[in-house]
Amino acid sequence: MKPFSLLIKPASADCNMNCHYCFYLEKSSLYPDQKVHRMDEATLERMISSYMETEQSCYTFGWQGGEPTLMGLDFFKSVVKMQQKYGRPRSMVTNGLQTNASLIDEPFAKHLAEYKFLLGVSLDGPEHIHDHYRKLQGGQGTFGRVMKGIDILRENNVEFNILVLVNDFNVRKVREIYDFLVKNGFYFHQYIPCIEFDDEGRLEQFSINGEQWGNFLIELFNQWYPGDIHKVSIRFFDSVLNYLVQGRSTICHMENNCNQYFVVEYNGDIYPCDFFVREDLKLGNINSCSWDELLESGIYRDFGSAKKEYSFICRSCKYLDLCHGDCLKHRAFSPDNEKKLSTLCSGWKMFYQRSLPVFKNIASNIRI
């Protein structure tokens, strides 16, 4: 069986925040009959027990949303109990949790620490940058609540990294964001480009374009190299190095196939990617399908192989092995996009032209 991981939406798109750029909030329209979406214990048990019956070198659970901590501490206690109940002897299990951290209290943090959950905390920079888009339902900023949650995580020795969504407001504030994170002792970073299209296929105003992304990455690289390469871990940079050293990437947009994981919605519905949670791409439901059936699904396989249907321009690109045409989301909806080029194509080229010789030099030293 091909290895796969699970990306689980136990509270679906429900969230205690109302971030203007969030791509997942609209997914609640898939389940209009329910105002509140919560995974029940039967679905949770079916998902965990069936997954842990498959042959995996590591059973990887990613909990996302919306905001997954809306499920409460008891839910995540049940998660661990079921993993222990159905786990094979000496099997490896990992849990990742992407959160805004605003609902984390000390008992919750203690549980996460005890069972070694790795958290990603969404934080877009210092207060005036973070609060520009990341607000509560009433429009209030969320920076203080997030930082309070981070303090509780630290006090309880919970491992976490910081996820920055790079949008139109903070894309030119690289140094300010990077300095803020490092000065606050945040040494594990993720930077994700904000790319959303309107109904006519045009970039939303909060999104960034290829040139902006390229300039952002170059400035980020200049902040990181050479002084911080042994101090600060940037997930994308780590993945480039991993590819150069071991021939394997660790980020899905760098792969040549999109069959990497399954999204499990609150009611057990299964989709191939959280960027593509759509009715026409629903693969089935875990309460009535086996993982073998889902892996063999024609929809799933076609979705995965679509990654290779990149532009003819990509075939002659010297960076193709690092990109494979980029994430399907970034090339699927652009207007007049017969060339099937990623919206970020020019940015990736800018960045690799500047950084790849340096990455190769770092990689050669790692091999030694």
Side-chain angles (χ1 to χ4, degrees):
M1 174 178 282
K2 182 184 183 296
F4 64 94
S5 58
L6 301 184
L7 183 60
I8 307 146
K9 308 282 189 173
S12 192
D14 297 358
C15 190
N16 62 318
M17 293 187 184
N18 188 27
C19 304
H20 185 51
Y21 52 45
C22 181
F23 77 95
Y24 211 79
L25 290 179
E26 67 178 25
K27 303 302 180 183
S28 60
S29 64
L30 290 170
Y31 306 105
D33 294 337
Q34 298 289 330
K35 291 186 177 181
V36 176
H37 308 88
R38 301 290 185 270
M39 181 174 283
D40 61 37
E41 189 155 316
T43 300
L44 177 66
E45 186 161 16
R46 166 65 181 168
M47 177 186 68
I48 291 176
S49 62
S50 61
Y51 180 45
M52 300 193 80
E53 287 175 356
T54 68
E55 292 285 348
Q56 307 287 331
S57 59
C58 179
Y59 297 89
T60 303
F61 297 82
W63 306 92
Q64 286 194 4
E67 177 49 48
T69 60
L70 285 171
M71 298 300 298
L73 175 56
D74 286 345
F75 175 83
F76 286 97
K77 286 183 176 180
S78 294
V79 165
V80 171
K81 287 179 181 177
M82 291 181 189
Q83 289 172 343
Q84 292 172 333
K85 177 180 178 180
Y86 294 106
R88 303 182 182 199
R90 294 180 295 279
S91 60
M92 182 179 295
V93 177
T94 65
N95 285 288
L97 177 67
Q98 184 62 43
T99 177
N100 60 42
S102 67
L103 301 177
I104 299 290
D105 58 17
E106 188 161 342
F108 211 145
K110 287 184 181 299
H111 178 76
L112 298 173
E114 181 178 359
Y115 294 101
K116 295 180 169 45
F117 278 64
L118 174 61
L119 271 61
V121 177
S122 299
L123 180 66
D124 286 350
E127 185 169 7
H128 67 284
I129 295 176
H130 174 89
D131 281 351
H132 184 77
Y133 283 127
R134 298 190 61 81
K135 301 179 184 296
L136 297 174
Q137 300 288 342
Q140 306 96 321
T142 61
F143 179 83
R145 294 168 183 252
V146 174
M147 293 300 288
K148 181 180 179 181
I150 288 175
D151 287 342
I152 294 172
L153 295 175
R154 281 178 151 169
E155 290 166 2
N156 289 277
N157 299 311
V158 180
E159 291 190 37
F160 66 92
N161 58 56
I162 298 296
L163 187 150
V164 177
L165 188 67
V166 182
N167 54 72
D168 71 310
F169 185 74
N170 65 6
V171 69
R172 295 181 179 87
K173 298 176 171 62
V174 187
R175 184 170 184 174
E176 186 176 1
I177 295 169
Y178 186 85
D179 286 349
F180 166 78
L181 296 182
V182 173
K183 287 177 181 177
N184 278 275
F186 304 140
Y187 300 129
F188 295 88
H189 305 181
Q190 295 186 61
Y191 296 90
I192 308 297
C194 182
I195 303 293
E196 299 295 334
F197 299 96
D198 64 21
D199 292 339
E200 297 181 352
R202 295 181 176 83
L203 282 173
E204 295 276 13
Q205 58 87 17
F206 45 73
S207 298
I208 60 173
N209 59 37
E211 183 179 0
Q212 289 174 319
W213 181 234
N215 286 329
F216 181 93
L217 288 176
I218 290 169
E219 181 59 26
L220 179 65
F221 184 81
N222 291 340
Q223 295 297 315
W224 175 77
Y225 179 84
D228 285 351
I229 64 171
H230 299 298
K231 177 181 178 181
V232 177
S233 167
I234 296 175
R235 188 185 180 201
F236 168 50
F237 295 176
D238 291 346
S239 189
V240 173
L241 288 170
N242 196 79
Y243 174 77
L244 294 174
V245 174
Q246 299 186 20
R248 294 181 288 111
S249 60
T250 56
I251 296 179
C252 62
H253 88 259
M254 295 176 66
E255 296 283 356
N256 65 358
N257 186 285
C258 286
N259 290 156
Q260 305 296 319
Y261 63 88
F262 290 106
V263 173
V264 185
E265 257 289 348
Y266 84 103
N267 64 348
D269 285 348
I270 307 292
Y271 300 87
C273 171
D274 68 329
F275 291 139
F276 291 89
V277 173
R278 304 187 326 221
E279 188 61 38
D280 62 314
L281 290 175
K282 186 167 75 173
L283 307 176
N285 188 288
I286 194 55
N287 291 301
S288 56
C289 297
S290 70
W291 294 112
D292 283 326
E293 290 173 320
L294 294 164
L295 285 165
E296 294 299 320
S297 163
I299 296 175
Y300 186 62
R301 289 190 166 191
D302 289 347
F303 180 83
S305 61
K307 187 70 156 70
K308 298 176 183 178
E309 297 174 9
Y310 42 69
S311 170
F312 67 92
I313 296 173
C314 297
R315 296 171 194 164
S316 59
C317 179
K318 59 185 176 180
Y319 307 123
L320 178 61
D321 287 346
L322 291 160
C323 174
H324 296 285
D326 198 13
C327 176
L328 290 177
K329 178 186 178 183
H330 299 160
R331 55 174 146 124
F333 301 106
S334 300
D336 304 318
N337 192 19
E338 294 89 353
K339 295 178 181 178
K340 296 183 179 178
L341 279 175
S342 164
T343 299
L344 299 179
C345 176
S346 61
W348 293 123
K349 288 180 177 178
M350 289 167 59
F351 175 67
Y352 283 126
Q353 182 177 10
R354 160 70 179 93
S355 66
L356 198 55
V358 179
F359 277 129
K360 288 180 177 178
N361 183 56
I362 296 172
S364 67
N365 291 327
I366 292 173
R367 290 192 191 99
I368 294 172

